[in-house]
Amino acid sequence: MKSSEDLRRLLESIDRRSYPAYKSAQGAYDFSDYTLSIDHVQGDPFASPSKLSILVPHSRAGYPAALFDKTHKKRALEDYLVRQFHQEIARFNFKAKGSGKSGLIAISHPGPEILTRTACQITSKGIVARFEVGFPANGRTINSGELIKILFDFLPRCARQVFFYKSRPAGEVAAVADLAEDQYFIRQELKRLGLVSFVADGSILPRESGVSSRPMKGGVSFVSPKSLQVTMELPHRGTITGMGLRQGITLIVGGGYHGKSTLLKALETGVYDHIAGDGREYVITDASAMKLRAEDGRSVRNVDISMFINDLPNKKDTRCFSTEDASGSTSQAAAVVEGIESGSKVFLIDEDTSATNFMVRDDLMQKIISRSQEPITPFIERARDLYEKAGISTIMVAGSSGAYFYIADTIIQMDCYVPRDITASTKEFCAGYGAEPIGQAPGFKLPAAGRRLMTGRTGKSAAQAGGGRGSDGGRNFDSGRGFDGGRGGRRDDRIKTKTFGKDSLQVGKETVDLRFVEQLIDSEQTNALAQMLRFCVEKQYFERYSLTEAVSLVIKEMASGGGLSAVSDSSYAAMGLAMPRVQEIYCCFNRYRG
C-alpha cells in the first residue's frame, strides 16, 4: 500500500494539468490512523463527485465491542457515526474553492429513521465510511492544492473527531446503544404480549409540516386510554407505559383533522427504529407491517386475486391475473395477496387512499346489485378470515363508513389527537342499531406459494429487454456466481440503473414507479432496490425462479457477501445505499414490467 506522502507527491505533480490526470490518484493510501481509498474519480469538476472511503482499524477507533455486539446495536452505532460525520464535514463543505462541484464533501444525511447504510459499516477489520468529494479545479484544470487541503487537513480532523471513541462523549455513545436495546426489547415484547404495535405515553406524533419529519413544536403528547395501557420494564429506561394495539382488527375513527392519519403514519414508520428526540422513538410496530392502498395504473403480474375478485364478465382467470393497467380495486386486491406473499402479519389501511368498492358494499347496494352480479368480494368480508385463518391483523382508519364497527375487535376514537377506547360503547350501539352485521364471505383460500413473475415466456429474455445483448444480456458468468459485477467483466456490458429520488427507479429501459410504496422512506433505499433489481435481471432470476425464491436468493447473496455491496455493480456503486425491508423488495419486484 502506498503512503499518504506518496499521494501528496502525486497530487503536487499533477497540479495545473488537465482534469483527467486526477484518475492517477485512484488507489489506497496509509494515513497511519486510517486507510484512505480513492475508489472512483469524477470525469470533470461538473460531474458526480468522486467516491472515497476510509477504514479506521478497531485498534485505532477504540469503540468497545459491547456497543456493537448485536445487530440492532451495530446498526444504531453505524447510524450515529454517519450523522456525526455529516455534521463534521458540513463545516468544511466548499471551503476548498474551484469550479463546479469543487470542494464538495458529502455523506448520507439520514432522516429520523435508523437504517443499515453503506455510508458507514462496522466490519471485522474496523469502521468503514464512504463519502463523496468534489475534486477541485479551475475550469477543467487541476487545483491539487485545494484537494490536498481537503485530504490532509479537513478529512483527518473530521475522521479523528468522529471515528475515534476517545473524541466522543462516552455517555452520548452509550445512550445510542441503550436506546437500541430498549427498542429491540419492545419488539420482542410485542410478540410475547400478542400486540401489533406500541405507542408510548408522551410520544409526539404530529410532524412539523407535511414535508418535514421533525416533531411539531407544541404538539399534543400522546396519552394512552386506560383500557389499552400496557406497562413494560425496559432494560435501560426502566418503566414505560403506552397504548398496546392487540392482534386482530383495529379501527381508528374520529372527525377530520383529529389525528387519525397522524396515528396511522406513526404506526407505518414504527416498523423502523427512530433516533432519540424524534418524538416517535418508542412507537414500535411489528416489523412486517405493510401499508396497503389503491394504485390505479400499476402493473400486476400473475397474481391470484380470486380471494377478492372472481367471475369477471370477460371470463379472465383471476387465479393467475395480469394487467398492465390495474384499477383501484384490482390493484388493492393484488397488494393484499402480495403482502401475504411477502410475509406481512399486519395490514395498515387508510380509507382515504383505498378503493371504495374494494373496501365495502353497503346494505342498500347489495340489495339492488345482487352478489351474483358483483365480481368483487370486499375486504370487509375477508378481514376476519385473514386474521383467524392466516394470522394477519388489520389496522384501519375509517372516517365515512360505519360498516367496519361490526367486525372490529378494538375501536379507537381520535379526539383532538387524544385516543379514546370506544369499543364497548360502539358494540352496544351496533347491537341495537338494527342493521345486519357483516358476514364472512365463503370460499376463503390463501393463494398457492411459488408464484412466478414470468411463466412460459418465449422470445427476448428480461435481460435482453433491458440491455439487448443476446440470451444472457451479454453478461459474464463464472464460478457459478453468475454476473461478475465488474470483477473481470466489461463495463459496457452492464445494465444501467438510475433513480429519481425515492419515488422511482430505472433498470435498463424499464421504469419502476414506487410513489405509492409509502413505507419506503429514503432515496438510498430506492438506490439499493435498483441494484437488487438489476442483479436479478442480470442473473435472469425472474425467468428461472419463483418470486419468493428470487427475493431469498438476493437476501442470501447479501448475507454471505458483505451486505448491499454484494449486489452492486461496482465498488463505488455500493455507496449511498440503505437497506429496505423485505416487504419493499417484494413491492419493487412486483412493479417491474420488464
Side-chain angles (χ1 to χ4, degrees), residues 528-570:
L529 288 172
Q531 293 297 328
M532 293 179 196
L533 181 55
R534 178 205 56 79
F535 182 83
C536 287
V537 173
E538 295 275 0
K539 290 201 167 189
Q540 300 181 330
Y541 277 0
F542 299 138
E543 295 174 320
R544 297 159 58 191
Y545 304 108
S546 70
L547 177 58
T548 300
E549 289 171 332
V551 173
S552 296
L553 286 167
V554 170
I555 293 172
K556 182 179 179 181
E557 184 76 18
M558 292 188 292
S560 61
L564 288 164
S565 303
V567 295
S568 299
D569 63 353
S570 66

Side-chain angles (χ1 to χ4, degrees), residues 333-526:
V336 172
V337 176
E338 292 165 354
I340 295 171
E341 191 175 34
S342 72
S344 179
K345 289 300 179 183
V346 185
F347 289 151
L348 307 171
I349 302 174
D350 192 331
E351 183 184 72
D352 286 350
T353 56
S354 296
T356 303
N357 61 337
F358 174 76
M359 296 304 298
V360 67
R361 293 179 71 231
D362 65 28
D363 185 57
L364 181 59
M365 182 63 72
Q366 295 200 45
K367 283 182 169 59
I368 294 176
I369 306 298
S370 68
R371 181 176 292 278
S372 62
Q373 295 174 298
E374 174 55 73
I376 300 175
T377 300
F379 184 81
I380 194 170
E381 297 180 20
R382 293 298 192 198
R384 176 57 54 189
D385 279 334
L386 281 171
Y387 174 57
E388 293 179 351
K389 298 179 181 179
I392 299 173
S393 300
T394 298
I395 301 175
M396 178 181 166
V397 166
S400 60
S401 174
Y404 278 85
F405 286 138
Y406 289 97
I407 68 165
D409 299 305
T410 304
I411 304 170
I412 299 169
Q413 178 188 357
M414 295 301 293
D415 183 3
C416 295
Y417 290 91
V418 177
R420 307 188 188 284
D421 181 5
I422 61 169
T423 307
S425 60
T426 303
K427 292 293 186 182
E428 183 180 350
F429 182 84
C430 287
Y433 185 64
E436 295 182 11
I438 303 297
Q440 294 167 240
F444 178 84
K445 183 181 179 182
L446 289 173
R451 176 171 71 96
R452 301 173 77 97
L453 291 181
M454 299 181 185
T455 55
R457 183 167 178 171
T458 59
K460 290 201 299 182
S461 69
Q464 285 176 287
R469 284 182 168 80
S471 61
D472 65 353
R475 316 312 157 216
N476 295 300
F477 290 79
D478 67 339
S479 304
R481 285 178 55 86
F483 175 63
D484 66 8
R487 294 171 289 276
R490 292 179 296 159
R491 172 71 183 171
D492 292 342
D493 283 345
R494 300 176 186 174
I495 292 178
K496 294 182 179 179
T497 64
K498 185 184 296 184
T499 57
F500 308 91
K502 71 178 180 64
D503 290 337
S504 64
L505 59 88
Q506 186 173 325
V507 173
K509 296 180 180 179
E510 292 290 346
T511 299
V512 181
D513 187 351
L514 300 172
R515 286 175 299 161
F516 302 116
V517 182
E518 297 184 22
Q519 288 165 292
L520 195 63
I521 47 87
D522 195 294
S523 60
E524 293 192 354
Q525 290 178 303
T526 307

Side-chain angles (χ1 to χ4, degrees), residues 4-119:
S4 58
E5 287 307 308
D6 290 331
L7 176 59
R8 186 192 291 271
R9 285 192 292 269
L10 172 62
L11 293 177
E12 290 172 345
S13 71
I14 62 174
D15 191 31
R16 299 186 181 181
R17 290 176 57 184
S18 179
Y19 202 88
Y22 263 140
K23 291 190 178 294
S24 62
Q26 284 187 194
Y29 301 91
D30 183 3
F31 272 68
S32 182
D33 286 335
Y34 58 85
T35 299
L36 170 69
S37 294
I38 301 176
D39 300 306
H40 173 72
V41 176
Q42 62 204 91
D44 65 65
F46 302 93
S48 296
S50 302
K51 316 297 182 184
L52 282 68
S53 60
I54 60 173
L55 168 62
V56 184
H58 287 302
S59 59
R60 293 283 189 177
Y63 280 85
L67 293 173
F68 55 89
D69 57 348
K70 301 287 176 58
T71 300
H72 53 278
K73 292 162 68 176
K74 176 173 170 286
R75 179 173 58 244
L77 180 56
E78 291 169 344
D79 174 85
Y80 168 79
L81 294 175
V82 169
R83 294 173 193 274
Q84 297 306 313
F85 194 60
H86 176 268
Q87 289 182 15
E88 288 296 319
I89 63 177
R91 298 190 297 117
F92 301 102
N93 202 17
F94 291 112
K95 288 294 180 66
K97 304 301 181 181
S99 309
K101 295 184 173 66
S102 296
L104 180 145
I105 313 173
I107 196 170
S108 299
H109 186 196
E113 297 84 7
I114 297 173
L115 305 175
T116 298
R117 299 177 186 272
T118 55

